[in-house]
Amino acid sequence: MTTSQPAHELTDLAQRTLTCCADIAACTEEPGQITRTFLCAPMHDAHARLDAWAAALGLQTREDAAGNWRATRRSDREGARTLVIGSHLDSVPNAGAYDGVLGVVLGLSLLDALKDTPLPYHVELVGFSEEEGVRFSVPFIGSRALLGTAEELLTVTDAQGKTVAQAITEYGLDVGQLAEAQLREDVLGYLEMHIEQGPVLEAEDRSLAAVHAIAGQSRLNFTFSGKANHAGTTPMHLRRDALAGASAFVLAAENLARNTPGLVATVGALRPLPGASNVIPGEVQFTLDLRHAQDEVREGALARLLAEAQQLAEARDLTFTSEVRLEEPATPMDPALTELLGEALAAEGHVSTPMVSGAGHDAMLLGHTWPATMLFLRSPGGLSHHPDEAVRGEDVEAALRVGTRFLHLLAER
Ligand code: HGY
Ligand code: MN
Ligand code: MN
Ligand code: MN
């Protein structure tokens, strides 16, 4: 099996990859920005872009009952196992064009590069419908459906009180078919290609890196409650200002993370109520996102912050509640697959030293069930979850080279 692809072919494929990402970026709920949340109507248009390319490769495509886009390439080898390649098609609000999408389109590009090369394994290419957790504050609905564990999420509600089950029905899918979304094949591994979303590869002047572990994360919803009152007549010492209390908590979380190596803490959404300039906020709802590569450090930090919230509330005559929406342990990638990816990187002239992912990915969930590995592409400016998120054409081409070689190495194992 030749592993070197003619340069012009990969360059063309790299260009087609970028064009397809740009086409999918235009499938958005919000004109003028990229926003694609779970089971929003533009997701159908994104699927249609992928269907067009997949059809030209003779791949069977479908949308499963969780809204995942699925493409299947069958091997004619007797007893063939299945390689899953995937990433997510949903986005955060006002996102970039590559987080998630690039990994799905690169998968399609690899199958295009290998369209005339028989492989001894099936390939299941998946564009997950929900990884970010924006609409329901619960991420990984798509990949949980692939594992057959999404049933328990059907009653989770969004900010409007609508359940996941209702969202699936309104989007035009049959909740009763959710069990059919489960991939019941003998999976040899999962490959996710993704932008790094951070500054490391750019700082090290590297195009690509294999990922050997994904940081664990805790996501919680907090509510601080005090007493709404008149902003003009209420003396400062008589206030029970929920927002002032929450603000003290936000700074405490930032301070703890700044002083704990490798810990990151983020309050990304915060909503004071009633939200009028002349009313002291009686209630504040906010999120906390806590991550670290070692679970014990993250868990210790969370315990300290919950104790801090209790002290702050007591000192300010407030109450608070917290609800855990996600606890994902740090996930090591499969050593054998990551080593094979390292071999492919080295064979293509890249440094093969693997790295830790600070961002969460479908691989962190699937990696508990199947051998998983990830290939990162450099993020120019270290920017992501932002409209200026970018990727370099030469890194896309390098990823196609390394990915092609990885699939060959996997075939020869
Ligand atoms: O938030 C994350 O880590 C990922 O981008 N969903
Ligand atoms: Mn569709
Ligand atoms: Mn993301
Ligand atoms: Mn992502």
Side-chain angles (χ1 to χ4, degrees):
M1 283 183 192
T2 59
T3 52
S4 61
Q5 218 73 21
H8 69 84
E9 237 183 69
L10 284 181
T11 306
D12 294 349
L13 279 176
Q15 191 45 58
R16 277 191 73 184
T17 301
L18 293 170
T19 305
C20 190
C21 288
D23 290 347
I24 291 174
C27 307
T28 176
E29 292 174 79
E30 303 289 341
Q33 58 169 261
I34 299 170
T35 298
R36 232 181 357 264
T37 49
F38 181 54
L39 299 184
C40 63
M43 205 56 100
H44 286 300
D45 305 328
H47 292 171
R49 302 297 189 284
L50 297 166
D51 283 339
W53 192 345
L57 301 176
L59 301 173
Q60 305 145 345
T61 65
R62 69 186 179 100
E63 184 174 41
D64 68 24
N68 295 318
W69 180 80
R70 311 275 290 266
T72 306
R73 169 180 157 160
R74 305 302 291 176
S75 165
D76 54 12
R77 173 73 63 89
E78 189 61 32
R81 304 180 71 196
T82 297
L83 171 70
V84 182
I85 301 176
S87 196
H88 59 97
L89 294 174
D90 67 311
S91 78
V92 295
N94 198 13
Y98 303 103
D99 175 7
V101 172
L102 179 63
V104 183
V105 180
L106 274 172
L108 211 40
S109 276
L110 286 182
L111 293 181
D112 193 318
L114 296 169
K115 59 181 174 292
D116 302 323
T117 309
L119 291 172
Y121 45 78
H122 308 308
V123 178
E124 180 79 8
L125 178 58
V126 188
F128 293 109
S129 55
E130 158 61 78
E131 182 271 349
E132 298 285 4
V134 171
R135 177 171 174 185
F136 287 94
S137 299
V138 171
F140 308 129
I141 298 176
S143 37
R144 289 188 198 193
L146 201 71
L147 293 177
T149 60
E151 303 285 337
E152 64 210 35
L153 302 175
L154 289 176
T155 54
V156 172
T157 54
D158 63 12
Q160 283 70 42
K162 201 158 281 185
T163 65
V164 169
Q166 286 168 320
I168 289 175
T169 307
E170 282 178 16
Y171 178 78
L173 294 168
D174 176 359
V175 182
Q177 293 298 310
L178 192 59
E180 298 319 304
Q182 182 177 357
L183 184 65
R184 291 183 169 85
E185 308 215 355
D186 175 9
V187 172
L188 66 87
Y190 171 70
L191 168 66
E192 182 164 3
M193 296 169 279
H194 202 288
I195 50 172
E196 176 208 338
Q197 299 183 290
V200 171
L201 290 182
E202 185 169 58
E204 295 178 0
D205 193 22
R206 292 171 64 184
S207 285
L208 309 170
V211 172
H212 69 84
I214 301 176
Q217 49 178 286
S218 301
R219 296 193 199 182
L220 293 90
N221 289 346
F222 276 81
T223 302
F224 269 50
S225 304
K227 184 162 178 51
N229 209 327
H230 196 295
T233 58
T234 312
M236 293 308 288
H237 69 286
L238 296 180
R239 294 183 177 209
R240 296 173 56 213
D241 184 334
L243 182 54
S247 306
F249 177 83
V250 172
L251 292 177
E254 183 198 40
N255 185 49
L256 178 62
R258 281 185 186 281
N259 294 293
T260 309
L263 182 71
V264 285
T266 311
V267 174
L270 182 139
R271 191 159 73 120
L273 297 171
S277 68
N278 58 350
V279 181
I280 300 165
E283 182 177 299
V284 175
Q285 297 161 356
F286 62 88
T287 59
L288 175 69
D289 181 313
L290 213 51
R291 306 195 192 191
H292 197 278
Q294 279 127 21
D295 291 337
E296 60 279 8
V297 174
R298 173 174 52 84
E299 288 155 0
L302 180 54
R304 279 186 60 178
L305 287 173
L306 288 170
E308 181 85 30
Q310 188 56 42
Q311 281 163 12
L312 275 171
E314 283 165 9
R316 293 166 171 268
D317 194 11
L318 304 174
T319 58
F320 88 97
T321 60
S322 63
E323 178 200 8
V324 175
R325 298 293 286 199
L326 177 79
E327 274 286 353
E328 266 303 319
T331 310
M333 294 291 96
D334 178 69
L337 281 186
T338 306
E339 198 179 310
L340 207 62
L341 193 50
E343 257 182 67
L345 282 159
E348 290 294 334
H350 296 275
V351 168
S352 59
T353 319
M355 62 185 286
V356 172
S357 169
H361 300 285
D362 292 296
M364 80 187 295
L365 187 93
L366 299 171
H368 298 307
T369 304
W370 299 323
T373 194
M374 289 192 77
L375 178 66
F376 268 178
L377 286 80
R378 169 174 29 198
S379 282
L383 199 56
S384 183
H385 282 187
H386 186 281
D388 294 342
E389 180 182 278
V391 73
R392 291 192 192 180
E394 68 264 30
D395 295 345
V396 172
E397 190 172 332
L400 285 172
R401 281 186 186 292
V402 168
T404 309
R405 192 174 285 268
F406 174 73
L407 293 189
H408 280 304
L409 289 172
L410 207 52
E412 291 154 13
R413 258 197 332 181

